């Protein structure tokens, strides 16, 4: 009931009942954009430019993922309950999680705009802008994984006289390692998308070239760049999925239930050595390619600029609280509309993108028809088309989607909500398809053995097993949607994001601090609602 009320309220805030929503003159631009897909820009000079932008986006993602995991591992251990419970001290882990809540509430694009004022236009800005919030998010997830890991081996080592550190390293960490590794792969996939988004602030890469081509209406170039971004995102997704399958890590976000021990012989033979060697080569290449000036981190000049900004920002300007409240409600409505459309579409497409649901010999396949060749081709066609569609819409950054929809929709939260909804639909559809593929087959086989029809197996076996995870993912992405309202606001979708950008560009740090406080409070409210509902779903 609360969701239905909030959804209707969000539609009202978006002005869905108003007549002047569609700009009829923009359809010509949309048609030109679609037609340009037939003949993308394939000149040698532009292909070299696209290759350079792709490598830069990949290098940013690799460097930022490295620091995110490093921050997440250290802060995750220090903010975990189990680490402090060894010493019978419960207070520090709560304090640690409270500190981590602030950096992860602010989107990486805002971090980038802020860090530019300190370090200038340096590749270091893009790396830190992703590493800081992603490191805080990774720390939160890592701490939850450590807290949910069985503690019997840890307690056995402590009772046998082992030191707390040794008991933690040898008793708890080996059990949690598969899940930490699986989430690290997922964080790398997210870094690819964030590295593309940061191109909007001038960091270079595919996102920057996409924005230039869209603003100059060079749609043929846009499709070439979009193709490169899809290839980069798709190959990253495929590579990470292949490694997780080889290592018995079927899930990105959930705790992996497969026994990691049974894959150790396979890992020792080939996968570990090759993967470590490839990772080292990729790290060395990425840090060399971006040419970031890390010496700025300890230069006195950088700290002087930071101190000046803090001095100017205090005390915060509270003269615009009424405007901030109005914009906060619009931002919240944008996030609700986005996640509602993404969640509904993700649930539908998840089953069409799941191998064990669509392909022959799947969950609901008919043995009498599974051998028919034309049905096999049809099933493969549905699977591949659905997966490509999900890959395409999640590979395109949200600001690019927002700019495209602003061709035919007047500025407001509606184009921003549609852009966020499309992008998150691609992510949710893939995550939910993974849930379907990891279903425990035993209850389903029991229902079929008892004579249940395919619709009954779906209603009483598949849906009860998948819907709790579906809703948990939707709530998790709602938190991300809330943060991402900033980046669509920058390009004219309204909300607090547009105001934050104006305040940053005009160096109005007093008002900026107030807007950031309101935005962080709003993000915390969404986070608390999401966490409480997800807790009941467990």
């Amino acid at each position: 009931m609360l969701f239905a009320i909030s959804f209707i309220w969000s539609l009202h805030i978006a002005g869905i009942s108003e007549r002047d929503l569609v700009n009829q003159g923009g359809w010509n631009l949309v048609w030109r954009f679609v037609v340009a897909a037939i003949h993308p820009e394939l000149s040698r000079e532009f292909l070299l430019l696209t290759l350079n932008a792709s490598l830069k986006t990949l290098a940013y993602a690799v460097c930022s993922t490295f620091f995110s995991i490093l921050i997440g591992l250290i802060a995750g251990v220090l903010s975990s309950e189990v680490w402090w419970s060894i010493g019978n001290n419960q207070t520090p882990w709560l304090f640690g999680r409270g500190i981590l809540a602030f950096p992860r509430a602010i989107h990486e694009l805002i971090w980038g705009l802020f860090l530019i004022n300190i370090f200038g236009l340096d590749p270091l800005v893009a790396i830190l802008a992703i590493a800081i919030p992603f490191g805080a998010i990774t720390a939160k997830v890592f701490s939850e994984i450590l807290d949910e890991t069985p503690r019997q081996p840890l307690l056995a080592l402590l009772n046998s006289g082992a030191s707390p550190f040794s008991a933690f390293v040898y008793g708890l960490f080996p059990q949690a390692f598969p899940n930490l590794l699986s989430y690290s792969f997922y964080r790398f996939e997210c870094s690819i998308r964030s590295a593309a988004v940061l191109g909007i602030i001038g960091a270079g890469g595919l996102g920057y070239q996409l924005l230039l081509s869209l603003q100059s209406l060079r749609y043929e170039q846009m499709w070439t760049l979009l193709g490169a971004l899809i290839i980069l995102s798709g190959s990253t997704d495929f590579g990470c999925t292949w490694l997780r399958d080889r290592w018995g890590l079927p899930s990105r976000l959930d705790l992996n239930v497969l026994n990691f021990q049974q894959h150790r012989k396979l890992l020792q033979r080939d996968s570990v050595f090759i993967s470590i060697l490839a990772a080292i080569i990729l790290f060395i290449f990425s840090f060399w390619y971006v040419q970031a000036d890390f010496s700025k981190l300890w230069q006195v000049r950088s700290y002087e600029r930071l101190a000046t900004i803090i001095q100017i920002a205090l005390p915060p300007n509270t003269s615009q609280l009424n405007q901030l409240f109005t914009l906060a409600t619009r931002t919240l409505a944008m996030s609700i509309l986005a996640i509602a459309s993404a969640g509904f579409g993700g649930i539908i497409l998840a089953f069409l993108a799941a191998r064990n649901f669509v392909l022959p010999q799947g969950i609901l396949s008919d043995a009498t028809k599974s051998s028919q060749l034309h049905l096999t081709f049809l099933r493969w066609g549905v699977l591949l088309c659905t997966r490509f569609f999900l890959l395409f819409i999640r590979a395109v950054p949200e600001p690019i989607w927002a700019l495209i929809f602003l061709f035919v929709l007047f500025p407001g939260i509606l184009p921003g909500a549609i852009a966020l909804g499309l992008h998150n639909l691609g992510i949710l559809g893939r995550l939910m398809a993974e849930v379907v593929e990891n279903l425990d087959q035993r209850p389903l086989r029991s229902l079929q053995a008892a004579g249940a029809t395919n619709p009954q197996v779906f209603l009483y076996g598949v849906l009860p097993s998948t819907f709790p995870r579906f809703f948990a993912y939707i709530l998790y992405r709602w938190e991300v949607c809330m943060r991402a309202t900033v980046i669509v606001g920058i390009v004219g979708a309204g909300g607090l994001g547009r105001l934050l950008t104006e305040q940053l560009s005009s160096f109005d740090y007093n008002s900026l601090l107030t807007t950031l406080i309101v935005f962080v409070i709003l993000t915390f409210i969404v986070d608390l609602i999401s966490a409480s509902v997800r807790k009941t779903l467990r």
Side-chain angles (χ1 to χ4, degrees):
M1 289 176 63
L2 288 174
F3 165 74
I5 293 172
S6 62
F7 183 73
I8 295 172
W9 170 78
S10 300
L11 289 174
H12 173 71
I13 294 295
I16 201 69
S17 59
E18 298 177 3
R19 294 182 179 179
D20 297 331
L21 286 177
V22 179
N23 177 18
Q24 298 295 338
W27 288 110
N28 182 41
L29 292 175
V30 174
W31 176 247
R32 285 176 54 192
F33 171 74
V34 174
V35 171
I38 303 174
H39 44 84
E41 177 65 55
L42 296 177
S43 64
R44 183 175 181 275
E45 295 78 8
F46 192 76
L47 288 178
L48 289 175
L49 175 67
T50 303
L51 177 61
N52 176 62
S54 302
L55 292 176
K56 184 169 289 188
T57 300
L58 176 63
Y60 280 146
V62 171
C63 295
S64 58
T65 302
F66 172 78
F67 288 112
S68 299
I69 295 173
L70 184 64
I71 295 170
L73 192 59
I74 298 172
V77 171
L78 296 178
S79 61
S80 64
E81 180 186 2
V82 62
W83 171 261
W84 295 103
S85 65
I86 296 175
N88 297 320
N89 193 347
Q90 299 293 323
T91 305
W93 75 273
L94 291 172
F95 179 72
R97 290 195 180 181
I99 293 177
L100 292 172
F102 182 79
R104 74 169 185 267
I106 301 176
H107 194 272
E108 49 267 25
L109 194 63
I110 297 299
W111 279 110
L113 291 170
F114 173 72
L115 292 171
I116 282 177
N117 296 319
I118 300 175
F119 301 114
L121 278 175
D122 190 273
L124 178 65
V125 170
I127 295 173
L128 293 179
I130 300 174
I132 292 174
F134 277 25
I137 295 171
T138 305
K140 176 179 180 289
V141 175
F142 278 11
S143 64
E144 292 175 350
I145 290 174
L146 292 171
D147 289 339
E148 293 179 16
T149 301
R151 303 184 185 182
Q152 290 85 350
L154 172 70
L155 298 175
L157 287 172
L158 288 173
N159 293 332
S160 65
S163 65
F165 180 78
S166 298
F168 186 87
V169 171
Y170 294 103
L172 192 74
F173 191 79
Q175 297 183 85
F177 176 74
N179 301 303
L180 301 178
L181 183 63
S182 180
Y183 184 77
S184 299
F185 285 137
Y186 174 70
R187 189 45 56 193
F188 177 52
E189 297 171 27
C190 295
S191 295
I192 293 285
R193 294 189 286 267
S194 293
V197 169
L198 280 174
I200 293 175
I201 62 173
L206 287 171
Y208 178 67
Q209 298 298 333
L210 272 170
L211 185 64
L212 290 180
S213 298
L214 182 60
Q215 289 177 339
S216 58
L217 303 182
R218 296 176 180 176
Y219 301 129
E220 292 81 6
Q221 295 181 358
M222 271 197 69
W223 280 106
T224 304
L225 295 166
L226 285 174
L229 188 55
I230 291 170
I231 293 173
L232 182 60
S233 299
S235 57
T236 304
D237 189 355
F238 176 80
C240 292
T241 302
W242 181 81
L243 280 175
R244 288 189 298 104
D245 289 341
R246 292 277 290 176
W247 295 356
L249 309 171
S251 178
R252 286 174 171 86
L253 297 180
D254 295 330
L255 296 181
N256 291 283
V257 296
L258 293 186
N259 188 1
F260 189 65
Q261 301 294 331
Q262 60 185 327
H263 295 265
R264 280 190 174 179
K265 291 183 179 180
L266 179 62
L267 290 173
Q268 291 173 356
R269 290 175 183 173
D270 53 5
S271 301
V272 169
F273 177 76
I274 296 174
S275 300
I276 292 176
L277 182 62
I280 292 174
I281 295 173
L282 190 58
F283 284 147
I284 295 174
F285 168 78
S286 299
F287 280 98
W288 167 80
Y289 197 81
V290 296
Q291 296 293 315
D293 186 5
F294 289 96
S295 64
K296 291 185 177 182
L297 290 173
W298 50 81
Q299 287 180 359
V300 177
R301 188 178 180 183
S302 299
Y303 291 102
E304 290 176 349
R305 289 176 178 174
L306 178 61
T308 302
I309 292 175
I310 294 175
Q311 185 179 3
I312 296 174
L314 294 174
N317 182 11
T318 59
S319 62
Q320 297 179 322
L321 288 180
N322 291 332
Q323 180 189 8
L324 289 174
F325 178 77
T326 302
L327 292 177
T329 57
R330 296 178 67 83
T331 302
L332 179 62
M334 187 194 305
S335 70
I336 292 174
L337 290 176
I339 200 58
S341 57
F344 181 74
I347 291 174
I348 296 175
L349 295 180
F351 294 104
L352 299 179
R355 289 171 297 183
N356 63 335
F357 195 86
V358 175
L359 295 184
Q361 308 303 325
I363 295 174
L364 303 181
S365 62
D366 190 341
T368 60
K369 298 181 180 180
S370 59
S371 60
Q372 297 182 15
L373 190 60
H374 69 283
L375 288 179
T376 301
F377 279 117
L378 178 62
R379 288 172 178 269
W380 273 103
V382 170
L383 177 72
L384 294 177
C385 290
T386 306
R387 288 204 169 189
F388 179 78
F389 174 73
L390 294 175
L391 173 62
F392 176 76
I393 59 177
R394 72 174 179 266
V396 179
E398 301 100 313
I400 301 300
W401 279 124
L403 285 171
I404 292 173
F405 283 106
L406 281 170
F407 287 157
V408 294
L409 295 173
F410 289 109
I413 68 170
L414 188 58
I418 296 174
L420 289 172
L422 262 182
H423 183 77
N424 283 275
L425 168 60
I427 297 172
L428 280 174
R430 185 67 188 94
L431 292 175
M432 291 175 177
E434 192 174 83
V435 172
V436 178
E437 291 177 346
N438 295 331
L439 272 178
D440 187 357
Q441 301 293 318
R442 292 170 297 179
L444 308 182
R445 287 197 294 265
S446 298
L447 284 170
Q448 290 171 340
T453 62
N454 282 343
Q456 290 173 330
V457 172
F458 182 75
L459 289 174
Y460 297 103
V462 176
L463 290 186
S465 301
T466 56
F467 262 41
R469 297 311 311 157
F470 285 176
F471 289 133
Y473 283 167
I474 290 171
L475 291 167
Y476 167 72
R477 290 304 304 182
W478 185 29
E479 302 171 26
V480 180
C481 253
M482 189 68 239
R483 296 171 60 247
T485 54
V486 172
I487 58 177
V488 293
I490 287 176
V491 296
L496 289 171
R498 184 60 180 266
L499 183 61
L500 278 170
T501 310
E502 294 174 354
Q503 293 168 343
L504 269 171
S505 59
S506 62
F507 305 104
D508 186 6
Y509 294 118
N510 298 91
S511 302
L512 174 67
L513 180 59
T514 308
T515 307
L516 275 178
I517 292 172
V518 172
F519 185 76
V520 169
I521 292 173
L522 186 61
T523 306
F524 284 169
I525 293 173
V526 171
D527 194 353
L528 288 174
I529 295 173
S530 173
S532 61
V533 178
R534 281 189 284 116
K535 187 176 180 180
T536 62
L537 289 174
R538 293 197 189 105

